[in-house]
Amino acid sequence: MKLVLLGAPGAGKGTQAQILSEKLGAPMISTGNILRAAVKNETPVGLRAKAYMDAGELVPDEVIIGIMRERMAEPDCKNGYILDGMPRTIAQAEALEAGGVEVETALSIEISDEEIISRMSGRRICPECGATYHTVYEPPEKDGICGKCGHALTIRRDDEPETVKNRLRVYHAETEPLKDFYAARGKLRMVDNRNGIAETTKVICEALGL
């Protein structure tokens, strides 16, 4: 399955992508993780992207598309993949098509802005290994400590309330139109985000026929 997950920041795309990756045996390709690694390692792409990410703005299309094409050319993507965070604009979606990157299904996770702001205030990330947690929905076994590597968890700057509000404005202006883009191609499926991760996974699997 060649799947792209759509939805506002904080809708649960990353969590659901990980679950689907295990169910389908297909790699999850997350632009966020790739970009954050580049920022941490201070690569040329990372240095260029950092200012945009810190402000909650979209990284330029040409940077994202270059990174994703390299990733999807790797052997583990031959039998399918799950895109998390890409495409984010119509231009990116068109560039993927032009580059021969196929998307069979675009799944949009629907959730209100108010719920997004509430949820993202509880999100935590491990700066060492990249593992993500939530103080309510997916807390670590030990408060404030990563269960995978033991490093102290932090709040990403782009999860802070004012940045979240700006990210939502950008989403509605730049990314939400992708629903119409994929609907016109007969590839869009929509599900409502539920209160729990398992409940959301269930409706997603039903929508995908899994």
Side-chain angles (χ1 to χ4, degrees):
M1 180 175 289
K2 297 173 182 177
L3 174 69
V4 58
L5 294 183
L6 303 176
K13 299 185 300 296
T15 297
Q16 295 300 329
Q18 289 177 341
I19 294 170
L20 289 172
S21 176
E22 294 176 4
K23 284 182 176 291
L24 298 171
M28 167 187 155
I29 302 177
S30 169
T31 54
N33 288 345
I34 292 172
L35 285 171
R36 281 188 287 275
V39 169
K40 179 180 178 182
N41 295 328
E42 297 185 341
T43 67
V45 170
L47 293 173
R48 186 177 177 188
K50 187 176 186 302
Y52 294 94
M53 295 171 68
D54 284 349
E57 298 177 0
L58 296 181
V59 176
D61 288 350
E62 65 270 18
V63 178
I64 297 290
I65 291 166
I67 289 173
M68 299 307 288
R69 280 179 176 161
E70 289 179 355
R71 176 65 183 88
M72 284 181 279
E74 295 179 14
D76 63 338
C77 291
K78 285 185 178 180
N79 296 320
Y81 40 76
I82 300 167
L83 303 184
D84 171 26
M86 170 71 172
R88 287 191 178 183
T89 65
I90 297 293
Q92 287 181 359
E94 291 174 340
L96 288 179
E97 286 188 345
V101 177
E102 185 180 358
V103 171
E104 295 174 345
T105 302
L107 181 78
S108 179
I109 303 175
E110 302 294 302
I111 187 171
S112 71
D113 287 4
E114 292 75 17
E115 181 67 15
I116 289 289
I117 294 169
S118 174
R119 288 187 177 193
M120 292 183 75
S121 65
R123 193 155 68 175
R124 302 292 183 270
I125 188 169
C126 176
E128 186 64 25
C129 72
T132 58
Y133 301 88
H134 194 281
T135 55
V136 176
Y137 302 106
E138 197 175 6
E141 292 184 8
K142 187 175 180 181
D143 188 35
I145 301 296
C146 178
K148 294 183 178 180
C149 71
H151 200 279
L153 301 176
T154 62
I155 300 175
R156 282 168 33 193
R157 182 172 178 177
D158 55 1
D159 285 339
E160 294 176 357
E162 286 307 310
T163 305
V164 171
K165 291 178 182 177
N166 187 52
R167 292 177 70 193
L168 286 169
R169 285 191 292 269
V170 171
Y171 166 75
H172 290 305
E174 301 287 344
T175 305
E176 197 166 29
L178 283 169
K179 291 194 289 187
D180 290 337
F181 178 89
Y182 285 114
R185 287 157 173 75
K187 297 180 177 181
L188 179 69
R189 299 183 188 178
M190 298 169 61
V191 298
D192 289 328
N193 186 285
R194 303 299 176 91
N195 288 330
I197 293 173
E199 290 86 348
T200 302
T201 300
K202 181 179 178 181
V203 296
I204 287 175
C205 288
E206 290 173 352
L208 295 176
L210 300 178

